[in-house]
Amino acid sequence: MAVFVALGAFLMTLAGGWTAQRVTDRRHLVLGLAGGLMLGVVGLDLLPEALRAAGGEVFGVPAALLLFVAGFLLAHLVERLLAARAAAHGADEHNHRAPEVGLTAAGAMVGHSAMDGVAIGAAFQVGGGMGAAVALAVIAHDFADGFNTYTITSLYGNARRKAIMMLVADAAAPVLGAASTLAFTIPEKLLGGYLGLFGGVLLYLAAAEILPEAHHVHPARSTLLCTIAGAAFIWLVVGLAG
């Protein structure tokens, strides 16, 4: 049942990526929506779950929040290192986006989608009701995952072929993750730590890259509305799943 449900996540991820491809003439709206979706996923889905699952504090700060900050700084460090590398090879640091950053971020999205599949499988091990609730949340927000995976990969200058390749990998990941739970499960604290770290990476990409790019050429009110709509959509998904 878990693997069957994960096939729904596969289709929703592809649908999200297809949508991102079809609206290239409104790129600023796509980026604005992607930024809102990412903000909503981080603040309303990943962080609450990370705080619940990770548990424990380090010098008075929840471990999940420390990993969240570490993820943000890690994303910033990786981007600066790649930008410096590109500049050393003659590229303009301010106008050049290293394709490796996009592929790395998309790879993180694929890893997160695999963990979504693991979450579906583990929830069905607990019970059918729990499995259905988790599956609803995963399938709904996998549309955003597919949308963001394609957008992030192409935003950093990667060819359309690579963006589609990462999209397909992201779509297949939940199915493989759900199938893996037939053999093992991930400890809850480890899963919570991972969610905190990944949340920091996503927030950096949304706040430092995607949203500024969305408003760079078209600082329109419609772009801001798309960002708000993206965050509100994730709020709706989380509320329905709860």
Side-chain angles (χ1 to χ4, degrees):
M1 177 61 72
V3 176
F4 178 77
V5 170
L7 290 174
F10 174 87
L11 295 175
M12 285 296 286
T13 303
L14 291 181
W18 180 85
T19 301
Q21 292 181 64
R22 299 296 295 178
V23 292
T24 52
D25 58 329
R26 293 289 185 269
R27 185 169 178 268
H28 59 291
L29 300 180
V30 172
L31 294 175
L33 179 62
L37 289 170
M38 292 170 73
L39 175 62
V41 167
V42 171
L44 306 178
D45 188 12
L46 294 184
L47 270 184
E49 180 63 23
L51 287 169
R52 184 196 67 78
E57 295 185 350
V58 180
F59 290 105
V61 178
L65 290 183
L66 285 175
L67 287 167
F68 172 76
V69 174
F72 188 97
L73 293 175
L74 177 63
H76 179 58
L77 176 63
V78 168
E79 187 191 37
R80 288 296 87 202
L81 289 175
L82 291 174
R85 176 185 169 191
H89 287 80
D92 183 348
E93 181 178 352
H94 297 288
N95 296 321
H96 178 78
R97 294 180 184 276
E100 295 90 344
V101 174
L103 291 175
T104 300
M109 295 292 291
V110 172
H112 173 63
S113 293
M115 297 301 294
D116 281 345
V118 171
I120 291 176
F124 271 102
Q125 290 179 4
V126 174
M130 173 67 72
V134 171
L136 173 63
V138 168
I139 290 174
H141 94 248
D142 271 353
F143 178 88
D145 283 352
F147 190 99
N148 290 336
T149 297
Y150 184 88
T151 301
I152 289 172
T153 307
S154 57
L155 174 64
Y156 281 85
N158 290 286
R160 181 173 179 270
R161 176 180 57 82
K162 288 186 177 181
I164 293 177
M165 180 183 68
M166 297 306 298
L167 172 64
V168 172
D170 189 49
V175 180
L176 297 177
S180 72
T181 59
L182 300 175
F184 68 92
T185 56
I186 296 179
E188 187 176 34
K189 287 188 176 182
L190 182 60
L191 178 61
Y194 160 78
L195 292 177
L197 185 72
F198 181 66
V201 172
L202 272 191
L203 183 62
Y204 178 83
L205 293 173
E209 296 296 328
I210 290 183
L211 289 178
E213 180 71 14
H215 291 276
H216 177 62
V217 180
H218 296 279
R221 183 178 302 175
S222 57
T223 306
L224 177 59
L225 291 176
C226 283
T227 302
I228 295 173
F233 172 74
I234 298 300
W235 185 17
L236 176 64
V237 168
V238 172
L240 291 175

